Amino acid sequence: MRGAWIYLRERFPLALVALMSAAFAAASVGLFTPTTDTPGAHTWSSAILLFVIYLALLLRYRVTDEWKDFAHDSAVYPDRPVQRGVVSPRTLFVIGAGAFAVELLGVLLIGGALGFVLYLPVLAYSALTVFEFFSAPRLERHFTLSFVLHEAIYLPLFLWVAVVLGAAPDWRTAAGVLACTALFVSVELARKFSPRFDTEGRVVLDTYSAVWGRGRTLGAMVVLVVLSGVLATTAGAGLASPVIAVVAAAVALARPASDRWVTTVVAIHLPLQAAAMLS
């Protein structure tokens, strides 16, 4: 138990991930729930279940990444809990299996048997990411290709959410799926924006700014932030969405040399944009 708490504290900051999960649950409900004849209790239950699903999904991803990246992390980050032996493989498996069980239960509760079946492609794609699409050597040489393939999973994920929430099969729903995906990827870029260093002080080529360069990474992040706001409005959100997005992009660019400034702006932008999408 102690090892599990240490792992969650160091590798899965619960407060931040919970905020992120709540934001995307709110955004999903706002963009994909039909506006007519939808009881308030149903909307709240959907939001809670989506929050649980997103939280469990992110924890499952965190655990599978520990297995997938074990050799790399052992070489450059020996002080992480798994590498220094604080967390046993059994404990890590229990955490991952528990998260997976909660995720599947949430999927079944919100989508029923049909929703569960429709979720199988999402699970199949996530399994491919764990095994690096059975092309690990090639993806190691092509960082951007690896990034695109891994982030593409959010397209079928948010499409599934739209389906189980009863969204109409039209261009507005498609725009909503793209808006949520763009928003999620912008947060991912912020999460790994700052360069990381190994025990000898050398930059490790596993963050976006280290590989693409700071300017390109910041540019991609800003574009995704603005794009998510524009697409949200196309999906039916109010004009607050693009306004919040443009303001956040401008504020981030006001101090582009500060990692903390840029990542903080993107972090604050997320719940604000989610609230705009919900309204």
Side-chain angles (χ1 to χ4, degrees), residues 193-195 214-215 218 251-263:
F193 181 70
S194 300
R214 184 183 187 83
L218 179 58
V251 173
L253 292 173
R255 295 179 59 188
S258 172
D259 288 8
R260 178 170 294 185
W261 177 268
V262 170
T263 54

Side-chain angles (χ1 to χ4, degrees), residues 22-276:
F24 279 99
S28 300
V29 168
L31 293 180
F32 302 131
T33 301
T35 56
T36 58
D37 300 326
T38 302
H42 176 74
T43 300
W44 274 105
S45 64
S46 297
I48 292 170
L49 286 172
L50 285 174
F51 167 77
V52 172
I53 291 170
Y54 289 147
L55 189 64
L57 175 68
L58 292 172
L59 179 55
R60 175 169 67 86
Y61 281 178
R62 176 71 275 155
V63 171
T64 54
D65 279 352
E66 297 289 356
W67 173 77
K68 179 169 62 74
D69 301 333
F70 179 78
H72 169 78
D73 291 348
S74 297
V76 297
Y77 305 122
D79 59 335
R80 288 182 174 176
V82 173
Q83 278 62 41
R84 66 178 192 265
V86 174
V87 183
S88 67
R90 182 178 181 276
T91 298
L92 200 62
F93 174 80
V94 170
I95 294 172
F100 189 41
V102 171
E103 177 190 350
L104 293 183
L105 178 60
V107 166
L108 187 60
L109 289 174
I110 197 173
L114 178 59
F116 188 88
V117 171
L118 294 176
Y119 195 70
L120 294 179
V122 178
L123 294 178
Y125 196 100
S126 67
L128 287 175
T129 65
V130 173
F131 293 99
E132 296 290 1
F133 299 89
F134 301 100
S135 300
R138 179 174 182 176
L139 293 183
E140 287 179 3
R141 298 192 302 269
H142 300 279
F143 184 88
T144 302
L145 175 62
S146 177
F147 167 78
V148 171
L149 288 176
H150 281 79
E151 298 306 302
I153 189 167
Y154 299 113
L155 289 169
L157 172 64
F158 289 121
L159 178 60
W160 174 83
V161 171
V163 170
V164 297
L165 290 182
D170 56 19
W171 57 272
R172 287 180 177 269
T173 298
V177 170
L178 292 174
C180 287
T181 301
L183 186 60
F184 208 107
V185 177
S186 72
V187 175
E188 167 63 14
L189 291 179
R191 185 181 72 86
K192 294 177 66 175
F193 181 70
S194 300
R196 299 171 180 172
F197 303 90
D198 62 16
T199 53
E200 298 182 2
R202 294 173 298 195
V203 175
V204 181
L205 298 179
D206 63 358
T207 59
Y208 305 113
S209 58
V211 177
W212 295 335
R214 184 183 187 83
R216 290 179 180 177
T217 305
L218 179 58
M221 195 187 311
V222 166
V223 167
L224 288 169
V225 164
V226 174
L227 185 61
S228 66
V230 173
L231 287 169
T233 299
T234 304
L239 291 178
S241 282
V243 171
I244 291 172
V246 170
V247 170
V251 173
L253 292 173
R255 295 179 59 188
S258 172
D259 288 8
R260 178 170 294 185
W261 177 268
V262 170
T263 54
T264 299
V265 169
V266 175
I268 293 174
H269 163 262
L270 173 61
L272 294 177
Q273 184 60 259

